[in-house]
Amino acid sequence: MPTNRSDNCPWLSNIHVLIDDQGNIASSYRKIHLFSLSSDVLGPGRSLRESDVVIPGNEIMPPVSSPIGKLGLGICYDLRFPEFSRSLRSLGAEVLTFPSAFTVPTGTAHWESLLRARAIENQCYVIAAAQVGIHNQHRASYGHSMVVDPWGKIVAEAKDDQSLLSLEIDLNLVSSVRRKMEVFNHRRPDVYLAHSPKDALAVRMTHFTVPDSAEDEEIVSFGHVKLKRRFIFLESLHSRAFVNRKCVLPGHVLVISKRVAFRLHDLSSEEVADMFQLVQVVQKLVEDLHNTRSSSVTVQDGPDSGQTVQHVHVHVIPRKPADFKENDSIYEKLATHDKGEVKWRLEEEMSTESSMLRNFYKTNHI
C-alpha cells in the first residue's frame, strides 16, 4: 500500500494479514510501533529505522474468532509493549500472534523472555513465527519461532534454521489458568493511571465486541453475584453489558465495569469513559430493538440510592409513551424491583434475549 512522499519515494505499511480457510481476509492490522536500533547494538556503520520507509498504524484490531480461539494480531516490535498485548487480552484474545524478524543481538538477549512474559501476563497462548537467516550483508534475523502456553511454558520452538512447527492449542488450558489465577480481575488501573503522565489519561475510542458463544458457560463477577457469560451481549475494553434478571420494563439491561468496583468514583477516568461509551451504544441498541426513541439511563451509586449489588452499574431502560402514569415513577419502581418477594426471570428467557441482542448488534453494526 505505497503512498508517495515529497521526494517521490514510496511509504510502506507493515501489515499482518489474517486469511481464513475460504481464502477471505478475516482481518488486517497495521503495525503501530516502529522499530529503531542504533549502531551501538548492531555494530559500526549499521542501524535500522523502520520509520524511514513505513507509516505507523493507529488502531488495535479486535481479536478474530478462529478454530483455535480468538486471535489477537501484532507484529514483531509490538511485543515489547505490554499495554498492546493487555489491550488485546481485554478485548477477548486467547491467542496472541507476532510474526517477527528480530535481529540477532536483540533476539539473543530478549526474544524468549518477551514471549514468555506476554504469555504469562495475559494468560494467552503466544505464537511467534520468526524470519531466520541472512537478508544481506547488513542484516540477519534471529529465527527461533516459538509457541508459549498461558502458563509460560515453551511448547514448540524452532532453531536458527528453516523449520515447520505443529501443535494443538488447548483452550481448556486458557480457561483453567485464568480461573485459577484471576489476575485481570485484580488489576488496579485506578491506581496506575493516578500516577501516570497526563497524556496517559486521554480518552480513547474503544472497540465493542460480541462475546464468543464458546465461552457462554464461563463465570464472571457482578459484585457478589456470579454471572454466566451467556447473559452478556456486548463488551468493551473495560466494561460489559448484560440482560437483567428482573426488569422494570422490557429491554431493561445493565452495564458494568469489568473490574469489581463499588462506587463510580472508585473507577479510573479511562474506565469511566469506556463504560459510558458502551452505555451510548447499548442505549441505541435497545431503543432500536424495542422501537422506542427515549431511555432512562441511571446509576444507583451507593446503598442510600438503592444500590443492592456492590459493583457500580448503569441501568439502561428503553421508554415508551405512558409506560408509567407519572414519568418519574420509574425511579420508585427501580428502587424496589429487586427487593422482597421477587419472581426472577428464567435463565432460558435471559439467554434468548441475550442472543437476540447479540444478533441485532452484529446485523446492524450499531
Side-chain angles (χ1 to χ4, degrees):
M1 299 175 63
T3 301
N4 285 337
R5 305 189 311 206
S6 58
D7 57 4
N8 293 320
C9 182
W11 287 102
L12 300 175
S13 290
N14 192 344
I15 302 179
H16 182 172
V17 180
L18 183 66
I19 301 174
D20 67 20
D21 57 0
Q22 302 301 311
N24 301 312
I25 295 178
S27 184
S28 60
Y29 157 72
R30 292 174 57 190
K31 187 181 183 189
I32 64 174
H33 301 105
L34 299 186
F35 178 68
S36 178
L37 197 60
S38 71
S39 59
D40 293 338
V41 177
L42 294 174
R46 299 167 64 190
S47 63
L48 291 171
R49 284 180 56 85
E50 193 174 16
S51 59
D52 287 345
V53 293
V54 174
I55 298 175
N58 57 12
E59 185 176 16
I60 295 175
M61 301 308 295
V64 179
S65 295
S66 81
I68 61 168
K70 289 187 175 180
L71 304 179
L73 307 186
I75 299 173
C76 199
Y77 192 48
D78 293 327
L79 184 60
R80 291 186 178 271
F81 299 88
E83 303 93 337
F84 178 87
S85 294
R86 177 175 64 82
S87 295
L88 286 171
R89 161 66 201 275
S90 295
L91 289 168
E94 297 164 308
V95 180
L96 305 176
T97 57
F98 294 95
S100 301
F102 264 52
T103 67
V104 173
T106 58
T108 302
H110 303 147
W111 177 245
E112 178 183 326
S113 298
L114 287 169
L115 292 171
R116 295 185 67 193
R118 299 297 87 84
I120 293 167
E121 290 168 348
N122 297 289
Q123 300 172 313
C124 291
Y125 276 94
V126 173
I127 299 177
Q131 293 185 32
V132 63
I134 297 173
H135 298 271
N136 53 52
Q137 61 179 336
H138 302 294
R139 173 77 189 275
S141 287
Y142 178 65
H144 293 262
S145 295
M146 191 177 296
V147 181
V148 184
D149 76 13
W151 194 244
K153 178 182 177 182
I154 298 172
V155 291
E157 180 181 8
K159 300 302 180 184
D160 55 357
D161 56 5
Q162 295 185 31
S163 304
L164 178 65
L165 303 179
S166 177
L167 76 155
E168 291 188 6
I169 298 296
D170 182 5
L171 293 179
N172 290 328
L173 177 61
V174 176
S175 299
S176 174
V177 169
R178 294 178 180 184
R179 185 173 60 252
K180 292 175 181 177
M181 189 173 288
E182 298 181 353
V183 293
F184 262 60
N185 288 335
H186 301 154
R187 294 184 64 256
R188 291 293 308 276
D190 57 317
V191 177
Y192 314 148
L193 291 177
H195 299 279
S196 297
K198 288 184 178 180
D199 61 356
L201 299 177
V203 174
R204 299 173 298 166
M205 290 303 295
T206 189
H207 289 292
F208 305 104
T209 57
V210 173
D212 191 333
S213 58
E215 303 171 347
D216 276 355
E217 296 309 309
E218 291 185 10
I219 302 296
V220 300
S221 293
F222 172 36
H224 64 278
V225 178
K226 298 304 178 184
L227 180 72
K228 290 184 179 179
R229 284 187 62 85
R230 70 167 71 173
F231 305 137
I232 299 168
F233 58 89
L234 199 60
E235 293 184 297
S236 57
L237 182 61
H238 297 299
S239 314
R240 50 177 56 107
F242 59 94
V243 298
N244 205 345
R245 286 183 68 199
K246 180 64 175 178
C247 298
V248 171
L249 290 171
H252 177 186
V253 298
L254 299 174
V255 178
I256 63 172
S257 58
K258 287 184 177 178
R259 183 171 65 87
V260 177
F262 181 25
R263 300 289 306 280
L264 194 61
H265 60 61
D266 294 328
L267 297 175
S268 69
S269 299
E270 181 180 352
E271 288 174 308
V272 171
D274 177 274
M275 184 165 68
F276 280 95
Q277 286 179 52
L278 181 57
V279 167
Q280 284 183 309
V281 174
V282 168
Q283 178 183 1
K284 179 167 174 48
L285 176 64
V286 295
E287 284 185 6
D288 287 354
L289 183 62
H290 291 274
N291 194 29
T292 68
R293 59 180 186 177
S294 302
S295 297
S296 289
V297 179
T298 184
V299 182
Q300 292 172 292
D301 194 19
D304 296 332
S305 70
Q307 182 185 20
T308 55
V309 177
Q310 295 187 4
H311 186 159
V312 63
H313 53 284
V314 181
H315 296 266
V316 181
I317 310 170
R319 301 292 303 273
K320 292 186 176 181
D323 50 21
F324 283 93
K325 185 176 180 180
E326 297 292 335
N327 200 35
D328 286 348
S329 296
I330 189 170
Y331 299 109
E332 297 178 11
K333 183 68 173 178
L334 190 61
T336 59
H337 77 292
D338 58 353
K339 299 176 180 66
E341 294 291 329
V342 178
K343 185 178 180 181
W344 301 109
R345 299 170 71 195
L346 298 176
E347 287 195 357
E348 291 78 6
E349 180 185 356
M350 295 172 64
S351 296
T352 299
E353 183 184 8
S354 178
S355 296
M356 182 171 58
L357 286 161
R358 291 181 183 185
N359 292 333
F360 192 80
Y361 179 81
K362 290 177 182 177
T363 302
N364 294 275
H365 300 288
I366 293 173

